[in-house]
Amino acid sequence: MRASFVFSEVITGLRRNITMTIAMILTTAISLGLLGGGLLIVRLIDNTEKLYYDKVEVAVYLTNDVSASDKNCTEQICSGLRESLQRNSIVDTVAFQNRDKAYERFKEIFAAQPELVKLTRPESLPSSFRVKLKDPLRFDAISKEFTGKVGVLRVVDQDVLLNQLFEFFGSFRNATFAVALVQALAALLLISNTIQVSAYTRRTEVGIMRLVGATRWYTQLPFLIEAVVAGLTGAVLALTGLFFAKGTFIDDVLKAPIEANIIAPLGYADVFQVSLLLFPIGAVISAITGYVTLRLYVRL
């Protein structure tokens, strides 16, 4: 009996203020959709970082005299540096690259610029150790240990070249979250206003219930459920929007950089995992907003 009454009151409340209910659902959906978009960008950044970190190497370039006199890294200076690198606990693998191999790699990288290749001679490229780290973020340890050593020209970490890319992603993510925050505030205000209007239109029924002994919690419950239903419906719409955007927009925009291996792919599994967070967020925020509104602004 009580459950059926609460259910009927929820349906009545949602139908009685249909325009505000729709507005509340749409605003919540937009807010959660933007939040989900921000979370997807975070996941894209994380996946792209892993993609690059798997390929990042530390290059220990050797001086000109070592590069010219020791093509096979058999003499004391070169072999000593290699042994020191191999003994280092944070180093995964070490590969020696002499001038000839460096020149072949240079020609492959700049194959589309034949004039540059013609102007470059093998003697202008130093030999180097290509060092793969167990943790790419530990570059500083290699740089401090080997910079200035005999036979070392310089130590270069490819990770430095990625900072601008990740800074751009981070800025875009922060902008998305900022817009989502504004939309979330609008959703909270609209939920609060809807609950106040709904409570006002049913003040006579609620007053009668209180007179016959109904508790405050019992009279407030339908309004809380209305808010939660609106939040969950908004989450469903946000989820639908994210999947739709993934199939019709995101895939097209990211197709070229993904195929070029510039950024990591973003799959439907990523969208689904992010979307799972939207349902509890929508429900909890709506419930808290409804409860605070009823306690502070509505006397039921």
Side-chain angles (χ1 to χ4, degrees):
M1 179 66 179
R2 290 188 175 184
S4 61
F5 172 78
V6 171
F7 179 76
S8 64
E9 284 294 300
V10 171
I11 298 299
T12 301
L14 293 175
R15 290 173 54 188
R16 185 175 295 179
N17 306 292
I18 186 66
T19 55
M20 292 194 67
T21 299
I22 293 175
M24 178 171 61
I25 291 173
L26 292 178
T27 307
T28 304
I30 294 172
S31 303
L32 293 176
L34 289 172
L35 177 61
L39 294 176
L40 281 178
I41 293 174
V42 172
R43 184 171 289 271
L44 177 64
I45 294 173
D46 292 340
N47 293 342
T48 302
E49 286 179 344
K50 292 177 182 177
L51 173 69
Y52 278 98
Y53 283 152
D54 287 341
K55 300 177 181 179
V56 165
E57 294 177 331
V58 176
V60 180
Y61 292 101
L62 305 181
T63 56
N64 185 60
D65 56 332
V66 175
S67 301
S69 62
D70 192 3
K71 290 187 176 182
N72 297 317
C73 196
T74 56
E75 297 182 6
Q76 182 178 1
I77 294 177
C78 184
S79 61
L81 289 171
R82 178 162 57 185
E83 290 175 1
S84 297
L85 285 168
Q86 291 173 337
R87 288 196 304 266
N88 195 298
S89 60
I90 68 172
V91 171
D92 188 13
T93 60
V94 179
F96 175 71
Q97 185 179 79
N98 60 27
R99 277 180 165 175
D100 294 335
K101 291 182 180 179
Y103 185 62
E104 292 300 321
R105 184 179 182 183
F106 177 83
K107 289 192 295 183
E108 291 177 2
I109 295 174
F110 296 98
Q113 303 180 43
E115 294 299 325
L116 178 61
V117 174
K118 288 181 180 179
L119 293 174
T120 305
R121 294 289 179 265
E123 293 76 17
S124 62
L125 301 175
S127 299
S128 63
F129 292 109
R130 320 302 296 191
V131 182
K132 188 85 171 178
L133 301 180
K134 296 176 182 178
D135 181 3
L137 298 178
R138 295 288 306 278
F139 156 72
D140 288 346
I142 296 296
S143 179
K144 291 177 181 178
E145 181 176 350
F146 287 89
T147 298
K149 274 197 171 186
V150 176
V152 175
L153 178 64
R154 65 183 182 275
V155 181
V156 176
D157 179 25
Q158 296 173 354
D159 181 47
V160 176
L161 304 177
L162 305 178
N163 286 339
Q164 291 185 346
L165 175 63
F166 293 133
E167 286 177 1
F168 168 76
F169 279 134
S171 299
F172 189 67
R173 174 197 59 198
N174 293 337
T176 303
F177 277 138
V179 175
L181 183 62
V182 174
Q183 286 289 336
L185 179 60
L188 295 180
L189 294 175
L190 193 54
I191 291 172
S192 177
N193 289 336
T194 302
I195 290 175
Q196 291 184 55
V197 171
S198 180
Y200 179 79
T201 57
R202 283 182 281 172
R203 64 189 184 281
T204 302
E205 300 97 299
V206 173
I208 295 173
M209 291 172 59
R210 292 301 302 276
L211 289 175
V212 298
T215 63
R216 171 172 291 186
W217 174 251
Y218 184 69
T219 57
Q220 291 179 349
L221 185 58
F223 302 101
L224 294 178
I225 295 178
E226 288 176 26
V228 172
V229 168
L232 291 176
T233 306
V236 171
L237 293 179
L239 169 64
T240 305
L242 288 177
F243 273 100
F244 180 78
K246 166 69 174 65
T248 61
F249 175 72
I250 297 177
D251 287 345
D252 290 338
V253 171
L254 300 182
K255 181 178 180 181
I258 289 175
E259 291 179 349
N261 216 24
I262 297 175
I263 64 174
L266 193 65
Y268 281 105
D270 296 312
V271 180
F272 180 73
Q273 291 176 9
V274 167
S275 299
L276 288 179
L277 299 174
L278 301 183
F279 288 93
I281 291 175
V284 170
I285 289 178
S286 299
I288 292 176
T289 303
Y291 180 77
V292 172
T293 300
L294 291 170
R295 298 296 295 182
L296 297 181
Y297 301 106
V298 181
R299 300 301 179 185
L300 298 179

